[in-house]
Amino acid sequence: MTVRPSTWALGAAAIAAMLLVYRDPWRRDREAPGYVTNHGATVRLLPELAEGVPTDLELELVRPGGVVTRIAPGQGQDAHWVWDDGASMGPADPDALDGLWSSLRGATTLRAADVSADAGLGEGGRIRVRGGGQEFELVLGRATADGVGIYAGGLDGLDGGGLGEGPEVDALWVVERQLGELVAQRAEAWVARRPLLVDVAEVTAIEFADASLARGPDRLWRSTVGGLEVMLSNAAVEARLGRLLGARLDPWHAPWVDPEAADVPWIRLRTDTGEVHALWQGPACAGDRVALDRGAGLAGCVDARLLDAWPLPGRAGADAAWIEPRLAPHDYGRVLRIEQRAPQAMTLRRDGGEWLIERRSAGADEVVSVGESEVFRWYDALHAARLQTGSSAAIVHDEVELLLTCDSTAQVRLRCGRDASDGLACARDGQPAYPVALDVELAFSAETFVDRQLATLSPGEARAIEISGPAVVRQGAHLDLGVWRLDAPLHPEGDAALDDQRVESLLATVSGLRAQQWTAAPTSAAERSLRIERVPADGRPIAVVVELWPGCVARVDGGAAARIGEGPCRALAEDLLVDAPLERAIEDARALEFGRGGRRIALRRTDGPWVRVDGEPLGEVAEPLRRWPTWATVALVPGAAPGRVDAELAVEPAAGEPYVLDVGDGWAQIRGEGWFYRLAERELVEPAAE
């Protein structure tokens, strides 16, 4: 077989392409330093410096006059400390130190210089660094003749193991002037202005001369004043502490405290690592400021209001504003056990993903599993209940005593009962009692946690709804391709008269309907009945039927009757039609005709308000046009209108058939229909269920 020349040529080209890929002659050296600024061909001066301030960093900034600012690891709690020519100045500002380190890491050379040049090295100061595995000295000189930078010489090491004079420079560069400006800063520029370098979340104890505060294992603050221990609001304590720790010492003040011989500090803080920090209050400064001393280094002045006495319960003149207002302060997920000591001894405890009640019955121990969702609702009501700390109360009749244990083993004891006005009052952990409003019974039993969900209706399941009753106008609607359509009552405007938001509200109310108290079903027929058809599914009825009686008694699908909350009760009494029929007629009509006493006045709409077609002033029409839109529906009532017709309004709607509204005192009726709207001004509307 003869190989064509073109085949050899293609093979050679393929081999050459593979070699080019493998041995890329245009590839940049990956080890070459990258440019980091836009000053042309500038490179990093100190590329070996790692990101982040080393914990063992020792840094000396020698100012042109020879004064040395030293930043090195502090003793004890502070990461780094600042000295000025050997004098202790205070803890280093972490942000300032980070900025200084970043400036050194990002420093760039503008150009190289001849080491024999008259650079005046040392005249601009020195930067000596040891830490993070690095050890070097940078000697700064005078400004260059062209003024674009300053001379700098680098030393590879530090002699004698100390930060002293080193050997001759091994390289000379022109560097940015900012390095000289950093060195020229006074030592105070690197000292923290915050009183203490502590975060609020780190503090576990606070001590004053007459009081103490401690954050318990449950992360809640408690204060002790003269033997009175009170649970405090975390938000109040941490807000006051945060303002103190975030204050700015300005201006500086000469220190006056000797920690070894000083009096008791104004405040002492203990952190979660066991470190102790203290602040001493000193003389007044100018401008309503007071000096604070940290016990070492510079003191400084802060706003005098930061040193006002904390309003801790038990202190003279302190009110109860800082008391933890939540009756049961722990979140639901943290509660492991609730022991009821009165009125009947039993324990509610968490067991994995369920809750159990342990009790003594007929001389034997009994364990009953209860519904987790009901326990959550019951405890959530306790967690949401707030002590009314603005007014104290005295418990004259004990009713309930609970001991709550959370996941940190911390416990809260609640003692509740009736006060002199027969209202509910509660005392927590032996503290004074305060009035409290609860939506649930505080005492529990297995019956408390029986599933109280009356209806099961998932979102999107409903397909039709119907409202009926002996004295109720029949109303109905069905869902058609995602849009609710009005079935009853007949209305000239058709679907436009249906309020689909009220339909969805009714469905949501039914889906969340819960029993507050089980009761006997009334013997009379239900006052109102709602029938909701839903998507067919195996094993369940095609409809949910809710019956409603006076007194907010409800029954679902013929089951047990129960009292429901006032909110759901009012929602179930709502109608399906838009609740402001006169406002809708006036706002959405194309044309109106007002009639009264045989007179007819035609109206048309201009850009905004209605005007008479004949051009005359509105006259007697003005008052109804202003007042009628404020009327809202109290109820749809079957039967004839209840009184004399005061006026009539012929409506040409934007959608639907023209119709006439007869309007009387507190009612309106579509002419020819066998039902009417009972109306009242909006602020006077009362719930129909009451």
Side-chain angles (χ1 to χ4, degrees):
M1 181 180 64
T2 303
V3 180
R4 297 180 180 179
S6 59
T7 302
W8 288 108
L10 289 173
I15 294 172
M18 293 174 62
L19 290 174
L20 281 175
V21 171
Y22 183 71
R23 302 281 296 176
D24 184 0
W26 300 286
R27 178 180 56 185
R28 296 182 60 184
D29 186 357
R30 293 180 181 176
E31 303 301 322
Y35 296 137
V36 295
T37 76
N38 58 359
H39 292 290
T42 60
V43 296
R44 284 179 57 187
L45 178 62
L46 304 169
E48 64 273 13
L49 295 188
E51 185 175 359
V53 178
T55 56
D56 61 344
L57 173 67
E58 296 181 36
L59 176 67
E60 284 189 0
L61 304 175
V62 184
R63 300 202 288 275
V67 178
V68 179
T69 296
R70 183 168 180 263
I71 302 175
Q75 297 180 355
Q77 56 264 35
D78 296 298
H80 284 84
W81 200 264
V82 180
W83 288 266
D84 187 31
D85 233 15
S88 175
M89 299 296 287
D93 185 334
D95 293 335
L97 186 56
D98 283 343
L100 173 58
W101 186 254
S102 297
S103 296
L104 293 177
R105 290 188 68 245
T108 58
T109 64
L110 300 180
R111 63 176 182 264
D114 191 334
V115 293
S116 63
D118 184 14
L121 292 181
E123 296 179 11
R126 293 170 179 262
I127 300 175
R128 298 166 178 160
V129 175
R130 174 183 289 152
Q134 300 296 325
E135 190 174 294
F136 67 88
E137 180 173 357
L138 195 64
V139 186
L140 305 182
R142 63 172 63 100
T144 58
D146 55 10
V148 299
I150 59 174
Y151 289 108
L155 305 178
D156 286 335
L158 302 173
D159 67 329
L163 297 178
E165 296 294 332
E168 293 298 324
V169 297
D170 54 9
L172 187 66
W173 309 283
V174 176
V175 300
E176 296 166 316
R177 303 175 65 93
Q178 287 84 347
L179 280 179
E181 295 170 359
L182 288 175
V183 173
Q185 294 283 341
R186 294 178 58 85
E188 291 91 332
W190 311 111
V191 179
R193 289 278 183 175
R194 290 170 53 193
L196 296 172
L197 297 181
V198 178
D199 289 333
V200 172
E202 298 173 345
V203 179
T204 59
I206 305 171
E207 296 178 9
F208 297 96
D210 64 336
S212 63
L213 295 86
R215 194 200 298 265
D218 55 359
R219 306 297 295 170
L220 297 178
W221 283 99
R222 293 168 175 84
S223 66
T224 302
V225 178
L228 175 64
E229 182 176 315
V230 178
M231 183 182 293
L232 302 178
S233 164
N234 273 26
V237 174
E238 292 175 3
R240 178 65 68 91
L241 182 59
R243 286 198 296 271
L244 173 64
L245 297 179
R248 178 178 172 81
L249 297 175
D250 187 29
W252 293 116
H253 191 285
W256 70 89
V257 171
D258 178 1
E260 301 298 329
D263 295 333
V264 176
W266 169 67
I267 190 172
R268 182 182 284 115
L269 308 181
R270 186 180 300 275
T271 68
D272 49 13
T273 60
E275 298 170 351
V276 177
H277 305 258
L279 293 172
W280 284 262
Q281 182 175 346
C285 304
D288 295 326
R289 298 178 75 80
V290 175
L292 277 183
D293 195 312
R294 295 181 278 211
L298 291 174
C301 301
V302 298
D303 191 323
R305 291 172 295 181
L306 292 174
L307 278 69
D308 290 344
W310 291 23
L312 303 176
R315 276 182 165 175
D319 56 22
W322 274 32
I323 292 178
E324 168 58 59
R326 294 171 297 179
L327 178 63
H330 298 104
D331 292 336
Y332 169 76
R334 301 193 61 188
V335 178
L336 300 181
R337 178 186 179 94
I338 302 176
E339 180 184 349
Q340 180 174 274
R341 296 178 173 178
Q344 184 180 0
M346 63 182 66
T347 300
L348 175 67
R349 67 176 178 85
R350 194 188 294 267
D351 182 28
E354 63 176 343
W355 285 89
L356 303 176
I357 284 185
E358 298 175 342
R359 62 187 177 186
R360 189 81 174 168
S361 178
D365 293 333
E366 182 182 10
V367 178
V368 180
S369 177
V370 295
E372 193 274 341
S373 61
E374 297 301 323
V375 174
F376 171 80
R377 290 187 176 91
W378 177 80
Y379 183 80
D380 191 55
L382 268 62
H383 185 61
R386 303 180 74 83
L387 298 172
Q388 300 169 19
T389 56
S391 58
S392 60
I395 299 176
V396 297
H397 177 62
D398 285 336
E399 291 184 351
V400 183
E401 183 176 348
L402 302 177
L403 184 66
L404 285 67
T405 304
C406 74
D407 54 4
S408 64
T409 70
Q411 294 183 323
V412 174
R413 185 169 67 91
L414 301 178
R415 184 176 67 89
C416 300
R418 297 294 161 180
D419 59 15
S421 62
D422 200 36
L424 182 64
C426 290
R428 186 176 53 213
D429 293 333
Q431 302 167 14
Y434 297 97
V436 63
L438 262 179
D439 295 333
V440 296
E441 290 292 332
L442 189 59
F444 65 82
S445 65
E447 179 70 18
T448 304
F449 307 116
V450 172
D451 188 5
R452 295 173 180 267
Q453 190 74 27
L454 294 179
T456 302
L457 184 67
S458 302
E461 281 190 341
R463 288 296 176 263
I465 182 171
E466 181 180 350
I467 300 175
S468 60
V472 175
V473 175
R474 179 180 172 274
Q475 302 166 61
H478 70 277
L479 197 63
D480 179 23
L481 298 178
V483 178
W484 285 101
R485 306 291 186 185
L486 181 65
D487 296 328
L490 294 177
H491 195 286
E493 294 192 47
D495 298 333
L498 179 67
D499 190 337
D500 54 358
Q501 292 185 357
R502 302 181 84 181
V503 174
E504 295 294 345
S505 176
L506 269 173
L507 296 175
T509 300
V510 171
S511 66
L513 201 58
R514 299 183 66 254
Q516 285 194 342
Q517 181 182 358
W518 302 108
T519 185
T523 57
S524 60
E527 183 182 76
R528 192 179 186 88
S529 178
L530 285 77
R531 185 177 188 276
I532 301 171
E533 293 185 10
R534 55 187 175 184
V535 177
D538 293 339
R540 71 177 186 188
I542 195 172
V544 175
V545 179
V546 181
E547 298 170 283
L548 190 64
W549 285 269
C552 293
V553 176
R555 181 172 64 186
V556 177
D557 294 337
R563 295 191 185 278
I564 61 176
E566 293 183 2
C569 188
R570 287 194 297 268
L572 292 178
E574 295 282 351
D575 296 306
L576 301 183
L577 300 189
V578 173
D579 74 336
L582 291 174
E583 179 185 31
R584 176 177 177 78
I586 293 172
E587 294 298 327
D588 294 346
R590 288 197 180 97
L592 298 173
E593 185 177 271
F594 177 82
R596 175 180 284 164
R599 300 181 301 280
R600 296 289 184 271
I601 300 174
L603 303 172
R604 62 180 175 85
R605 190 188 293 276
T606 57
D607 292 337
W610 288 97
V611 297
R612 290 176 56 154
V613 173
D614 58 13
E616 296 293 324
L618 287 176
E620 63 178 313
V621 184
E623 195 275 338
L625 290 180
R626 179 195 63 80
R627 185 169 180 239
W628 286 351
T630 68
W631 289 3
T633 302
V634 176
L636 302 184
V637 183
R644 182 178 61 85
V645 176
D646 177 64
E648 61 184 54
L649 188 67
V651 181
E652 183 183 331
E657 305 172 11
Y659 61 97
V660 177
L661 276 170
D662 292 326
V663 183
D665 184 14
W667 61 270
Q669 185 176 41
I670 299 173
R671 186 171 294 176
E673 296 297 331
W675 56 274
F676 64 92
Y677 297 95
R678 182 152 59 89
L679 305 171
E681 293 189 27
R682 291 184 190 276
E683 59 271 23
L684 301 179
V685 173
E686 298 180 355
E690 295 185 353

